[in-house]
Amino acid sequence: FDTVEGRVAAAQAIDRAKVNEISNRGFPNLATGPFPPGTMGYLENNDAPAYDPAAAKAAVAKLKAAGKNTTVRLMTTNNPSSIRQWSVVKEMLEEAGFTVKLEIELQTKLISRMIAKDYDLAGMRNYPGDDPDINYIWWYGGGNPVNFFGFDDSVINENLDTGRTATSDAARTKAYENINRRIASQAYGVWLYYQPWAVVMAPTIHGVLGPKLPNGDQPDPRLSNGHSLLGIWIENQVEQNQS
């Protein structure tokens, strides 16, 4: 995966819709990039490699003929659902011609190995779906230990800086769209689906999303970033029963 050809081949080998159906009964929405609909930088079509098993097989065969190593370590956590999901991905990669070793780790060990770049392909859930600037820490290069991909991409670095410093939404949106396209063209990641989140509450709990925004809209808490308790209140059950 030190070549874009190898990464594209892996992306083409993975049937994301089938993985989603087997793993999640098709509930989450499929993703082609890191930015979900409704956020800055989202593109309906970012030209990410589509599922194409024939092209994947041809690419892997070409890599083998060129002497490239097509044996890869696929790392996942020891969660049973994760093992099932990535076992499906393993089979898809093997059908394309890769030789795949599934490595199962505790989540803490998996993260440590990703920081050390001691892996070839890893299953993970990350990159919060809020203002894209929050991903600066995850994607900026220059030896950044938590850039798990390990790239130092001048296009991404430049646009991350623009997104952080530009004063107009238009300029920031363009910068993050550039990042979206760059990540797709280089196949740095294979994006499977947008992770659904939920908050379960009793009917007496109110204001879970927080107070309304100045324009009257409800806020979107983006639970992967943490959930603010601002605005939550509990109905007085005693007074309600007495009335």
Side-chain angles (χ1 to χ4, degrees), residues 148-230:
F148 296 131
F149 296 107
F151 59 65
D152 187 6
D153 191 306
S154 60
V155 174
I156 293 177
N157 291 345
E158 179 182 345
N159 282 281
L160 283 172
D161 285 334
T162 298
R164 173 160 287 191
T165 59
T167 57
S168 73
D169 285 348
R172 297 189 69 229
T173 296
K174 182 178 179 181
Y176 293 121
E177 288 176 350
N178 290 340
I179 291 172
N180 196 344
R181 292 189 182 94
R182 181 65 176 177
I183 289 176
S185 70
Q186 298 301 301
Y188 287 135
V190 181
W191 310 94
L192 297 180
Y193 49 83
Y194 301 113
Q195 179 64 49
W197 295 88
V199 173
V200 180
M201 70 200 83
T204 55
I205 306 298
H206 304 275
V208 171
L209 296 180
K212 290 185 177 181
L213 300 176
N215 65 358
D217 291 345
Q218 284 281 10
D220 188 341
R222 302 292 180 186
L223 299 181
S224 59
N225 293 347
H227 188 73
S228 172
L229 301 182
L230 178 66

Side-chain angles (χ1 to χ4, degrees), residues 39-110:
T39 61
M40 193 176 288
Y42 169 75
L43 292 168
E44 187 172 346
N45 180 17
N46 61 359
D47 293 323
Y51 174 57
D52 189 339
K57 287 181 181 180
V60 174
K62 187 176 181 179
L63 289 167
K64 288 180 177 179
K68 288 288 184 180
N69 178 20
T70 55
T71 298
V72 297
R73 300 166 297 164
L74 171 57
M75 184 170 59
T76 184
T77 66
N78 62 344
N79 184 297
S81 63
S82 296
I83 294 172
R84 289 194 298 270
Q85 174 172 289
W86 293 102
S87 294
V88 172
V89 172
K90 176 178 181 290
E91 292 176 0
M92 292 175 176
L93 293 169
E94 289 172 338
E95 288 176 5
F98 289 103
T99 300
V100 185
K101 178 183 178 183
L102 188 65
E103 298 184 341
I104 300 169
E105 298 281 12
L106 292 171
Q107 182 164 305
T108 51
K109 182 67 178 294
L110 179 142

